[in-house]
Amino acid sequence: MEAFDPHTIERRWQQVWNDEKTWQVPNDATGPLAYVLEMLPYTSGDPHVGHLKNYAVGDAVAHFYRRRGHTVLHPMGYDAFGLPAEGHAIRTGKNPRVSTDESIASFRRQFSDWGISIDWSREFATHQPEYYRWTQWIFLQMFGKGLAYRREASVNWCPHDATVLANEQVVDGRCERCGFLVEVRQLEQWFYRITDYAQRLLDDLDGVEWPEKVKTMQRNWIGRSEGAAVTFRCAEMSSAYEVFTTRPDTLFGATFFVLAPEHPDVLKLAEGTEREREVRAYVEQALVADQFERSSSSRPKTGVPLGRTVTNPATGAEIPMYVADYVLAEYGTGAVMGVPAQDQRDWDFATAFGLSIVRTVQPPADFDGEAYTGDGPAVNSQFLDGLSIADAKPAMIEWLGEESLGESRVTFRLRDWLLSRQRYWGCPIPIVYCDDCGLVPVPEDELPVLLPVIEDYAPKGRSPLAAAEDWVNTPCPRCGGPGRRETDTMDTFVDSSWYFLRYCDPHNETAPWDRSVVDRWMPIDQYIGGVEHAILHLLYARFFCKVFADLGLVGFQEPFKRLFTQGMITRNGTKMSKSKGNSVSPGDIVARYGADTARCYVLFMAPPIMGGDWTDEGLEGVHRFLTRLWRLAQDVRAESADDRRDGGDDLLLIRASHRAISKVTDDIDGQFAFNTAIAAVMSLVKEVSRIHHEGDASAIARREALVTAASLLFPFAPHTATEVYLDLTGERVWEQPWPEADQRYLVADTIEYPIQINGKVRSRITVPADASTADVQALALAEEKIVELLAGKDPRKVIVVPGRMVNLVL
């Protein structure tokens, strides 16, 4: 017998699928449609095993949908702009255009080698002018509706990458990509007004089938809070400061007032006071400090008096103003009323500066702590005294409204999306600055504003595009006078917030998409990617879709109907890394074992949602399984046809086949339990092998069982499954419907009952499936080991759980 040669098999079928354009679908396809999509990859080098797993998951789902009667859209593209791609260019010493195109070629080649069923007719990359023309067009639509705007703001600055970061890209005070401590700077920046959609982004999470963990992460990031906006007035400076608080009931206990170092009025308030120099030095130090450390509850509280006071609107008392770095400008209004008796951080600050502490909620008699945050009756609060917190809050809000001192308000933790980047490799922002006309959008018929070719693209703290003077200097589109192009580029997440729509209509030259086409395919039936994108990418894409719906460009609100987030593959218990020497190259694995082994193993090694630890032994085990299946198929194919036999091993194989069909179908359909699905196919093949070598099943029964195994294996190992299926049936498996289990064969003839004595399993019996409870009890009491253990004693109670167990209580 010839040896199993996966490489020859894989090349043959990949050529067939490529030549016949098997996976291409037209937009006018009829029948049920399904859109299956994996998050597009960054072009920052070669694919790694995480990519292999991501696209193996998506391909299994796409094949499953197809064989259940759907026309499946399963496209591919590349997230080619931004820091990941530019960082790769810097590391390799190449121009980003060159390194990006080389990375795309590597991804395309390996996706083909893996046999991923992609509609290549829809392929694009976000750095192509044909794509970013429409990214710029979308920006102009946002600008026209007031959803894109420019203002000076305190921004997160990464000194290593020399660029601004969105709040979502700062993790524990550090840049999420390079790990450097983030600084705060004041810069003119472009923003998308995502906060206008905060409530809708929150509400609509209830309508999508996403992991609850991801929904919770988004809810927490959006961060809805209900409370009151309260106005504190500084009579000395004729200024007023608004505070948002979720505890307006504690207003009588506010004994000081704090502004964040970033607050624009801090230096103005300190001007001319004896503390002015100290305040300036404190602010300068705070602006370069780690914000995560600043907000830590365990950090000693620091601050400087501003030499001014504000009036507590509830008590009428003048309370001192401070600047303190434990208050962050990005939360609330950048101003906080200090209520030390009810907030531990305020307590720590008050004790550090010798400020008064007034309790407004009575703690229990046995409370011996400092700040009390629990429930209790209001005290020292005039008309609120005696009320619970739940009753005191609305009462105080009503009073504030009557006195024109505040109002009820809902706020969100979410901040507007900062999209400016001081980097070269990104989509240019289509705005021209004119001294006479101000901010002028580039006319739509002049798009795209092409990214110029420059040699020195390294980050310098300002956009490298500023040095391309011939590009920067341009006539004002409105008056024709001298103008200057915007030199910042867009955050790469802008590119990936709408790419899935372009897949639906990728060759449209007059619009980003045709609504009638997009509405046929969208929303995406199954979206697949890493949980690390739970906030950034997924939130931004949802925002874009809601804006598009409001503009009449799409007929849906949510882009991703269902979401699956796969776990990370580790090795030796740690994250794979070239620097650690524990990385695995999917190219090397495919070259040695073939793509089907690699694909099956990354899905079989552990539940895909949990990740798993890579072992070479596990990989080799999967390879042996595929080899066994292929060899069994060759053996059975060589046998002469015979007649099926009633009962016996033929019936065993029929039952095993239908159990496998039921198990694999249930495990794939919405559960993504690919590891147990593959295990079920392995069990079926093992049973066929046992009966083939030791049993007495007919050739036709063994053939049909192997055909079932190949059919079920196709989503995971498409090349080997196609070869085996064709060898045994003469048909192409991907053109055949998904098998259905016959319920008659899922009912077991016998049931095994464990027998417990006082809760501990002592023996087992096998009884007919239709045995009565009395029969099961009698057989359990007659079992040889149980008779010996009972030693003539009668159990006090016998409990039979039908179909599951027998428990004897002595």
Side-chain angles (χ1 to χ4, degrees):
M1 180 189 298
E2 60 180 304
F4 176 51
D5 181 1
H7 299 97
T8 298
I9 292 171
E10 289 168 5
R11 283 193 295 270
R12 175 165 56 248
W13 290 112
Q14 287 165 11
Q15 190 65 52
V16 169
W17 297 329
N18 183 66
D19 290 347
E20 297 183 1
K21 298 179 173 53
T22 305
W23 314 122
Q24 286 190 22
V25 294
N27 280 335
D28 60 357
T30 59
L33 304 179
Y35 190 172
V36 177
L37 186 64
E38 306 89 344
M39 295 177 187
L40 81 176
Y42 292 129
T43 53
S44 53
D46 298 321
H48 51 66
V49 291
H51 292 111
L52 174 62
K53 179 177 180 179
N54 192 45
Y55 295 100
V57 168
D59 210 40
V61 175
H63 282 310
F64 186 65
Y65 268 107
R66 288 189 189 103
R67 293 187 56 209
R68 298 187 95 187
H70 291 79
T71 297
V72 175
L73 175 58
H74 189 214
M76 175 53 59
Y78 312 95
D79 199 355
F81 264 150
L83 281 174
E86 186 175 300
H88 175 62
I90 292 172
R91 289 191 299 273
T92 58
K94 298 178 179 179
N95 186 280
R97 284 179 168 80
V98 174
S99 62
T100 296
D101 287 343
E102 288 177 350
S103 181
I104 288 172
S106 177
F107 272 92
R108 187 186 296 120
R109 181 175 60 255
Q110 292 209 43
F111 285 147
S112 179
D113 289 344
W114 300 344
I116 307 296
S117 61
I118 292 167
D119 181 348
W120 288 107
S121 70
R122 299 171 185 263
E123 179 192 28
F124 60 75
T126 61
H127 75 307
Q128 295 167 341
E130 297 82 4
Y131 181 84
Y132 71 75
R133 167 193 179 185
W134 299 112
T135 303
Q136 294 173 346
W137 182 88
I138 290 168
F139 175 91
L140 294 180
Q141 309 314 302
M142 299 271 213
F143 183 75
K145 293 295 183 181
L147 294 172
Y149 67 95
R150 183 176 171 84
R151 66 174 171 86
E152 184 178 272
S154 298
V155 297
N156 304 304
W157 179 265
C158 175
H160 177 265
D161 289 334
T163 193
V164 165
L165 303 174
N167 291 335
E168 295 87 345
Q169 292 167 304
V170 180
V171 179
D172 296 342
R174 296 178 180 272
C175 173
E176 70 165 357
R177 292 206 59 80
C178 69
F180 267 63
L181 281 174
V182 170
E183 302 171 359
V184 176
R185 292 189 179 182
Q186 291 289 129
L187 294 173
E188 285 275 342
Q189 300 288 287
W190 283 99
F191 293 83
Y192 276 141
R193 208 180 297 275
I194 191 174
T195 52
D196 281 7
Y197 287 78
Q199 190 62 54
R200 286 167 62 182
L201 288 167
L202 198 60
D203 292 342
D204 290 353
L205 282 171
D206 293 335
V208 294
E209 298 175 39
W210 289 16
E212 196 55 42
K213 174 184 177 181
V214 176
K215 289 186 180 182
T216 298
M217 292 171 73
Q218 289 218 357
R219 289 188 182 108
N220 291 342
W221 189 261
I222 295 168
R224 188 180 194 273
S225 296
E226 298 181 6
V230 184
T231 301
F232 288 74
R233 300 188 183 280
C234 177
E236 190 177 0
M237 300 295 290
S238 298
S239 56
Y241 300 95
E242 187 175 85
V243 166
F244 173 78
T245 176
T246 59
R247 293 293 306 277
D249 58 299
T250 65
L251 186 55
F252 284 96
T255 58
F256 62 94
F257 193 84
V258 182
L259 295 180
E262 298 88 352
H263 196 287
D265 279 8
V266 166
L267 297 181
K268 181 174 68 174
L269 287 164
E271 189 175 355
T273 70
E274 62 181 16
R275 297 279 193 170
E276 180 178 1
R277 177 176 291 182
E278 188 179 355
V279 168
R280 287 186 180 277
Y282 185 83
V283 168
E284 289 175 4
Q285 182 181 23
L287 291 180
V288 297
D290 177 4
Q291 290 202 18
F292 181 75
E293 284 293 321
R294 279 175 53 183
S295 60
S296 171
S297 59
S298 61
R299 183 172 179 264
K301 298 298 176 284
T302 64
V304 180
L306 289 172
R308 313 286 183 185
T309 64
V310 292
T311 305
N312 181 323
T315 65
E318 294 296 311
I319 58 177
M321 298 180 75
Y322 288 79
V323 58
D325 63 2
Y326 79 94
V327 178
L328 302 178
E330 66 184 71
Y331 297 113
T333 62
V336 169
M337 64 178 197
V339 185
Q342 264 63 64
D343 183 285
Q344 187 60 46
R345 294 192 309 166
D346 291 348
W347 178 288
D348 294 340
F349 189 87
T351 54
F353 286 86
L355 300 169
S356 62
I357 297 174
V358 177
R359 291 203 183 277
T360 57
V361 177
Q362 182 65 52
D366 58 353
F367 177 75
D368 61 356
E370 297 177 336
Y372 177 65
T373 59
D375 200 0
V379 294
N380 302 316
S381 299
Q382 298 181 19
F383 61 88
L384 298 180
D385 284 354
L387 297 179
S388 66
I389 292 174
D391 292 333
K393 283 183 180 181
M396 175 55 85
I397 292 173
E398 182 180 358
W399 180 84
L400 288 169
E402 291 172 350
E403 300 295 324
S404 300
L405 297 171
E407 63 181 7
S408 175
R409 184 170 296 177
V410 173
T411 66
F412 297 89
R413 179 176 182 265
L414 181 67
R415 291 294 176 262
D416 280 343
W417 175 6
L418 194 160
L419 64 104
S420 295
R421 296 294 180 270
Q422 293 69 42
R423 301 295 290 244
Y424 166 64
W425 192 238
C427 176
I429 297 174
I431 291 291
V432 173
Y433 297 93
C434 174
D435 290 339
D436 295 326
C437 304
L439 299 178
V440 182
V442 174
E444 292 181 13
D445 61 2
E446 294 182 17
L447 300 180
V449 175
L450 293 172
L451 185 68
V453 177
I454 65 174
E455 295 302 321
D456 185 6
Y457 60 86
K460 298 177 177 62
R462 66 169 190 158
S463 175
L465 288 176
E469 294 184 4
D470 290 345
W471 180 83
V472 172
N473 296 316
T474 187
C476 170
R478 186 169 295 159
C479 71
R484 302 176 309 281
R485 294 193 189 279
E486 169 62 72
T487 57
D488 284 355
T489 54
M490 296 189 205
D491 179 11
T492 187
F493 284 105
V494 177
D495 306 315
S496 60
S497 293
W498 73 279
Y499 77 101
F500 42 87
L501 299 171
R502 186 65 176 174
Y503 281 145
C504 300
D505 198 11
H507 307 297
N508 193 326
E509 296 181 357
T510 60
W513 59 79
D514 182 307
R515 174 171 172 173
S516 65
V517 173
V518 163
D519 284 353
R520 287 200 76 210
W521 290 110
M522 293 288 296
I524 291 169
D525 294 277
Q526 185 64 66
Y527 199 41
I528 299 152
V531 73
E532 65 272 17
H533 298 296
I535 294 174
L536 291 170
H537 164 58
L538 294 174
L539 187 65
Y540 293 157
R542 296 180 61 225
F543 163 58
F544 263 41
C545 272
K546 294 184 187 306
V547 172
F548 297 154
D550 288 352
L551 295 174
L553 300 174
V554 302
F556 49 88
Q557 295 285 334
E558 288 290 328
F560 315 121
K561 187 185 303 181
R562 299 180 190 87
L563 173 70
F564 176 78
T565 55
Q566 85 276 8
M568 181 184 297
I569 297 177
T570 58
R571 195 174 193 187
N572 302 324
T574 61
K575 183 179 178 180
M576 289 190 186
S577 167
K578 289 182 179 179
S579 62
K580 295 178 183 177
N582 70 340
S583 62
V584 174
S585 166
D588 293 343
I589 299 302
V590 171
R592 182 175 180 183
Y593 295 102
D596 282 351
T597 293
R599 291 176 56 153
C600 264
Y601 178 59
V602 296
L603 299 180
F604 175 67
M605 62 193 304
I609 196 170
M610 295 175 57
D613 202 55
W614 182 282
T615 68
D616 292 340
E617 294 79 10
L619 184 73
E620 290 163 359
V622 170
H623 184 66
R624 287 193 298 271
F625 156 64
L626 295 176
T627 302
R628 181 185 304 118
L629 171 62
W630 184 83
R631 286 177 175 168
L632 280 170
Q634 302 312 301
D635 285 350
V636 172
R637 185 178 67 160
E639 293 185 38
S640 301
D642 59 0
D643 295 327
R644 187 186 304 281
R645 299 163 193 166
D646 294 333
D649 285 343
D650 277 33
L651 183 58
L652 283 177
L653 287 180
I654 292 172
R655 289 189 181 281
S657 295
H658 285 272
R659 283 196 300 270
I661 292 170
S662 178
K663 176 66 174 170
V664 174
T665 302
D666 290 346
D667 285 351
I668 295 178
D669 194 8
Q671 297 192 51
F672 293 85
F674 300 132
N675 57 319
T676 53
I678 293 170
V681 181
M682 289 178 170
S683 295
L684 175 58
V685 172
K686 183 177 181 181
E687 183 71 353
V688 176
S689 179
R690 182 188 69 80
I691 292 176
H692 178 71
H693 292 101
E694 303 171 5
D696 189 33
S698 64
I700 191 170
R702 284 175 284 134
R703 179 188 298 264
E704 289 181 355
L706 289 174
V707 167
T708 298
S711 182
L712 297 175
L713 187 64
F714 176 72
F716 316 115
H719 311 88
T720 306
T722 296
E723 186 81 2
V724 168
Y725 199 94
L726 184 73
D727 283 347
L728 297 178
T729 68
E731 297 175 323
R732 293 172 163 187
V733 63
W734 70 85
E735 295 175 350
Q736 308 307 311
W738 186 256
E740 294 186 11
D742 188 328
Q743 296 299 313
R744 293 175 300 166
Y745 298 113
L746 300 181
V747 179
D749 290 331
T750 59
I751 298 175
E752 182 183 80
Y753 279 81
I755 306 173
Q756 297 180 348
I757 295 180
N758 290 342
K760 187 173 183 179
V761 176
R762 294 297 189 177
S763 188
R764 298 175 185 272
I765 56 172
T766 300
V767 303
D770 58 356
S772 66
T773 299
D775 290 339
V776 172
Q777 177 175 324
L779 290 168
L781 293 173
E783 200 278 329
E784 183 177 354
K785 186 174 181 181
I786 298 301
V787 170
E788 180 181 339
L789 290 170
L790 290 177
K793 299 178 181 178
D794 292 328
R796 184 166 58 86
K797 184 184 290 187
V798 179
I799 303 170
V800 177
V801 181
R804 294 184 58 191
M805 59 172 285
V806 179
N807 188 20
L808 309 182
V809 181
L810 301 185

